[in-house]
Amino acid sequence: MKLCRPPSGPVRFTVLASLVLSLEVAGTASAEPDAATAVLGLEALEGAPDNVASEITDALRERVASSRGYQLVQGKDLVEVKLVFSCPDEGAACMAQAGKSMGATKLIFGNVKRSGADYQVTLKLFDVNKAAVDTWVTESLSRRKAEPAVFRALVPSWLTKLTGKGASGGLQIRANVQGAVVSLDGTRVGITGGEPIAVADVSAGRHEVAVEKSGYTTAKQEFSLAAGQSLPLSLSLSSVSVNIGNQASSTETPPVIIRKPRDAPETPPSEAGGSSGMRAGFWVAVAGTALAVGGGLYFAKQVQQINSELDPYRRVPCAGSVGGCDLRGDPKPPLTATENSTVHGKMDLGRKDQLLEEVLLITAVPLAIAGGYFLYKGYLDSGNESATSARGLRIFPAASASAGGIVTEFDF
């Protein structure tokens, strides 16, 4: 009897096709689609600020959008949903209707209210298809720590408690030096700056973070992260020193100190400015005094000139003359109308010159006094550091073989 060997090609193909089909079915069965989740804006109750509720809502939406197994669906505020769908008590039927209208299979909503010195945050996970609340959590939050960064740090653990998923945690890493490279378990995760580096989806367990930058020591820190925990880390780097020969020089350049020579002591800016102002005031006063005195002398000379011009027209009573006598005692006829007009004109001019003379000479007095004050404060005051220099007024005796006396020196 002759046995026939069955063809192997078709049999192998059938077995392989069956195996591939079974793997595809198994993969399809094991792969769960992302849950379409809408986070409704939290409601602020019992004096809680609206901004706290909105910041927690934003942190929840950011976390859901970045978590595996979720597909964030654009949601509305819980207050708006209650008004539109008439759900005053968050009734299951109308909440399910609201969720279907948004295309969501899961809803996360809740409220924030004051509780003593804390805020009480209540979150609910609602199944739209079942029209029922799956789970809910209530957390307390200190009002002193009610900040967006704190909300982002707490939301992962709240979401894990609420859904039982997303057990991975997160990190917020800071350093005292900007521009340093941050690595987590040997993998680079960012560069330090003004804001902390946020690292999401970190598995629970032990990890090591390292921060390094050229010119600084490398900082490392080991830590343990619990499921869903968000952990802030802060690392400090120190500048390193480089030895050159027998001298150690730091990477930071030491300050350069420039000293003035001994003959020019340093003067504080305020004192230097005050001294300069006094000296300038002295010279202004000197110039003003000189101009006032010079002007007064000029107009005094003009008055003297006018008086000399009026002498021929002056008349004094004398016997035997109708018009009077001149200043030498000689009889003179009365002044004519033209001569009287000339006399009045010169007298008016003389009065003006005399008034200007008096004003200028009187003005010279306070200017001279001010000049003396500025001279003392700017050049002679012992409390002024500039007085210790060569500037100032010096009076000392002097003698020679032929004479003696005093010598005055004024330096400026």
Side-chain angles (χ1 to χ4, degrees):
M1 180 178 178
K2 187 178 181 180
L3 297 176
C4 295
R5 185 177 178 182
S8 58
V11 174
R12 290 199 191 102
F13 178 78
T14 304
V15 173
L16 182 59
S18 300
L19 180 60
V20 172
L21 180 60
S22 63
L23 290 175
E24 289 180 353
V25 172
T28 303
S30 60
E32 297 181 1
D34 293 344
T37 305
V39 179
L40 306 183
L42 270 63
E43 185 176 6
L45 301 175
E46 299 180 13
D50 292 334
N51 67 305
V52 172
S54 62
E55 288 167 357
I56 295 177
T57 301
D58 293 340
L60 279 168
R61 287 172 177 168
E62 290 177 6
R63 184 62 185 181
V64 170
S66 61
S67 299
R68 297 172 184 171
Y70 297 97
Q71 179 187 354
L72 182 64
V73 176
Q74 185 176 4
K76 300 178 174 60
D77 289 341
L78 180 58
V79 176
E80 182 182 355
V81 169
K82 288 182 178 182
L83 291 174
V84 173
F85 294 93
S86 301
C87 305
D89 299 324
E90 300 172 8
C94 60
M95 292 300 291
Q97 182 182 0
K100 291 177 181 179
S101 70
M102 289 182 279
T105 59
K106 299 286 185 181
L107 295 180
I108 296 177
F109 57 88
N111 57 66
V112 183
K113 61 183 179 181
R114 285 192 175 184
S115 178
D118 300 333
Y119 290 124
Q120 181 176 300
V121 182
T122 300
L123 301 175
K124 298 178 182 180
L125 179 63
F126 185 85
D127 191 309
V128 175
N129 296 328
K130 296 179 182 178
V133 174
D134 285 342
T135 55
W136 60 275
V137 294
T138 300
E139 299 286 341
S140 293
L141 173 66
S142 174
R143 278 192 282 176
R144 292 179 297 177
K145 298 181 179 180
E147 299 177 356
V150 176
F151 299 149
R152 287 193 295 270
L154 294 175
V155 157
S157 62
W158 294 352
L159 195 60
T160 299
K161 293 178 183 179
L162 187 66
T163 64
K165 298 181 181 181
S168 59
L171 302 174
Q172 293 83 40
I173 305 172
R174 290 180 179 272
N176 63 329
V177 176
Q178 296 189 8
V181 177
V182 180
S183 302
L184 177 64
D185 297 331
T187 302
R188 177 171 169 171
V189 294
I191 298 178
T192 58
E195 296 295 328
I197 297 175
V199 184
D201 296 329
V202 181
S203 61
R206 292 193 64 79
H207 300 275
E208 183 184 66
V209 64
V211 182
E212 57 184 342
K213 183 180 181 180
S214 177
Y216 294 84
T217 57
T218 299
K220 296 183 179 181
Q221 182 176 343
E222 292 186 355
F223 60 94
S224 294
L225 190 68
Q229 181 185 9
S230 182
L231 183 65
L233 298 174
S234 181
L235 290 86
S236 297
L237 287 76
S238 301
S239 59
V240 297
S241 298
V242 180
N243 290 328
I244 303 176
N246 295 327
Q247 297 180 350
S249 62
S250 173
T251 56
E252 296 182 358
T253 304
V256 178
I257 300 176
I258 301 176
R259 299 187 181 277
K260 293 185 177 181
R262 293 181 178 273
D263 58 349
E266 184 177 357
T267 303
S270 59
E271 294 184 9
S275 178
S276 300
M278 292 296 177
R279 293 172 190 167
F282 166 71
W283 290 111
V284 171
V286 168
T289 303
L291 290 175
V293 172
L297 293 177
Y298 169 78
F299 287 110
K301 185 68 175 176
Q302 291 295 106
V303 171
Q304 183 180 3
Q305 178 67 28
I306 293 173
N307 281 327
S308 64
E309 294 175 356
L310 286 175
D311 285 343
Y313 300 100
R314 302 183 192 278
R315 297 289 184 267
V316 295
C318 61
S321 177
V322 178
C325 298
D326 58 13
L327 295 179
R328 292 178 298 190
D330 297 332
K332 293 291 181 180
L335 296 176
T336 64
T338 302
E339 291 175 333
N340 281 325
S341 176
T342 301
V343 168
H344 288 306
K346 290 184 177 293
M347 290 184 67
D348 290 341
L349 182 60
R351 289 193 201 92
K352 292 179 182 179
D353 290 344
Q354 186 176 11
L355 177 62
L356 290 173
E357 171 195 356
E358 293 173 354
V359 169
L360 288 172
L361 292 177
I362 291 174
T363 304
V365 175
L367 286 174
I369 295 174
Y373 172 78
F374 292 139
L375 171 65
Y376 173 75
K377 297 298 291 184
Y379 292 98
L380 306 179
D381 187 5
S382 60
N384 192 331
E385 290 190 8
S386 62
T388 61
S389 64
R391 299 186 179 94
L393 176 68
R394 296 190 300 277
I395 302 175
F396 50 89
S400 65
S402 59
I406 61 172
V407 175
T408 302
E409 290 186 358
F410 182 71
D411 296 328
F412 52 87

